[in-house]
């Protein structure tokens, strides 16, 4: 079955960077785009950006431009999301999610989701 | 960006009753709308896409309707496992945006 498994929780100091991984299995990795969405404690969902695992191109929400980088490793079917210059407001659960539908960037809904990675920013 | 507004914020419903959740977009998103269910400690789960198409494995008691700027998620007869938070998401334009959620709680 299609599955996304994310890396474990992280605790970072303000100003540091964090890199979260998302390992895909159960489908052709390069055929479906991957999105990143975050959720602050007790809050709603916020889209961060999207990566095409085939060519590696990525697009980011303007809010995160300059601070976020999404990459992939096709040899391990893993995508990464790195967020820099962390501040307390970045404390959140970070989810990767595969695009739904037929793949190749044709859909902008998410199915399935990874289990989430909690990133805590605290001094 | 497209602002998504969900109402009500909290809906108190008895098991077996119907629940109707609303989602409004600040501009037309055609039928590019999805609904998700999130239970405590879990990732969101896709329920509906294309405004009205149920995702694989989603029970028929869940139905979606609407187009343009007004959308509705209906749960025809609430089961115990349906008490959760529900989010709508517009899939029409980047940045992709979500509503603030509706919590369906036991009355």
């Amino acid at each position: 079955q299609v599955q996304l498994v994310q890396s474990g929780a992280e605790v970072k100091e303000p100003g540091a960077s964090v890199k979260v991984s998302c390992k895909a299995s159960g489908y052709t990795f390069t055929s479906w785009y991957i999105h990143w969405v975050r959720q602050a404690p007790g809050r709603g969902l916020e889209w961060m950006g999207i990566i095409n695992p085939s060519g590696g191109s990525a697009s980011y929400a303007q809010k995160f431009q300059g601070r976020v980088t999404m990459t992939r490793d096709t040899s391990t079917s893993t995508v990464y999301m790195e967020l820099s210059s962390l501040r307390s407001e970045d404390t959140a659960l970070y989810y990767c999610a595969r695009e739904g539908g037929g793949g190749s960037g044709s859909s902008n809904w998410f199915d399935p989701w990874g289990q989430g990675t909690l990133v805590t920013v605290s001094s | 960006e497209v602002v998504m507004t969900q109402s009500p914020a909290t809906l108190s419903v008895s098991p077996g009753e119907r629940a109707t959740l609303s989602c409004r977009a600040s501009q037309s998103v055609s039928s590019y709308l999805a609904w998700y269910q999130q239970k405590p400690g879990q990732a969101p789960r896709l329920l509906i896409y294309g405004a009205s198409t149920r995702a694989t494995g989603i029970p028929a008691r869940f139905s979606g309707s609407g187009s343009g700027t007004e959308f509705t998620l209906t749960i025809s007869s609430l089961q115990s496992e349906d008490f959760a938070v529900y989010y709508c998401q517009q899939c029409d334009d980047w940045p992709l945006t979500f509503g603030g959620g509706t919590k369906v709680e036991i009355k």
Side-chain angles (χ1 to χ4, degrees):
Chain A
Q1 75 283 19
V2 176
Q3 197 172 10
L4 301 175
V5 178
Q6 299 182 224
S7 49
E10 302 263 13
V11 179
K12 296 291 182 181
E13 292 192 345
S17 298
V18 68
K19 192 170 187 177
V20 179
S21 68
C22 170
K23 183 174 176 58
S25 61
Y27 69 98
T28 303
F29 175 69
T30 52
S31 294
W32 272 266
Y33 290 31
I34 296 283
H35 297 257
W36 288 89
V37 176
R38 76 177 186 179
Q39 185 172 36
R43 305 291 297 274
L45 300 162
E46 183 175 35
W47 181 74
M48 299 181 69
I50 180 174
I51 182 169
N52 175 357
S54 179
S57 61
S59 295
Y60 309 126
Q62 186 170 8
K63 175 176 179 176
F64 301 101
Q65 287 275 3
R67 283 212 301 145
V68 69
T69 304
M70 297 177 188
T71 57
R72 95 299 188 212
D73 181 343
T74 56
S75 69
T76 60
S77 298
T78 301
V79 297
Y80 300 90
M81 186 283 299
E82 184 170 21
L83 188 63
S84 63
S85 302
L86 290 169
R87 35 210 188 227
S88 59
E89 310 90 88
D90 294 318
T91 293
L93 263 171
Y94 289 77
Y95 292 102
C96 61
R98 198 190 77 166
E99 64 165 327
S104 301
S106 61
S107 308
N108 281 326
W109 62 85
F110 314 124
D111 184 38
W113 297 58
Q115 83 277 19
T117 296
L118 180 61
V119 175
T120 302
V121 183
S122 175
S123 55
Chain B
E1 71 178 46
V2 181
V3 177
M4 306 300 293
T5 303
Q6 290 186 243
S7 61
T10 304
L11 188 61
S12 298
V13 185
S14 299
E17 289 189 341
R18 173 187 294 257
T20 302
L21 289 65
S22 296
C23 174
R24 173 176 294 177
S26 61
Q27 63 192 65
S28 177
V29 297
S30 186
S31 295
Y32 297 110
L33 186 104
W35 288 95
Y36 302 87
Q37 176 194 67
Q38 187 177 34
K39 296 179 181 179
Q42 296 185 17
R45 177 176 72 142
L46 177 69
L47 297 175
I48 301 283
Y49 62 92
S52 61
T53 303
R54 275 189 305 278
T56 302
I58 301 303
R61 64 181 181 273
F62 291 92
S63 63
S65 63
S67 66
T69 62
E70 300 284 342
F71 301 89
T72 301
L73 175 70
T74 302
I75 312 171
S76 60
S77 176
L78 270 159
Q79 307 297 302
S80 58
E81 61 267 28
D82 300 336
F83 293 96
V85 179
Y86 293 82
Y87 293 97
C88 62
Q89 177 231 333
Q90 64 84 12
C91 313
D92 183 49
D93 195 21
W94 293 351
L96 306 176
T97 48
F98 295 85
T102 292
K103 181 180 181 180
V104 178
E105 64 177 25
I106 301 174
K107 187 175 183 179

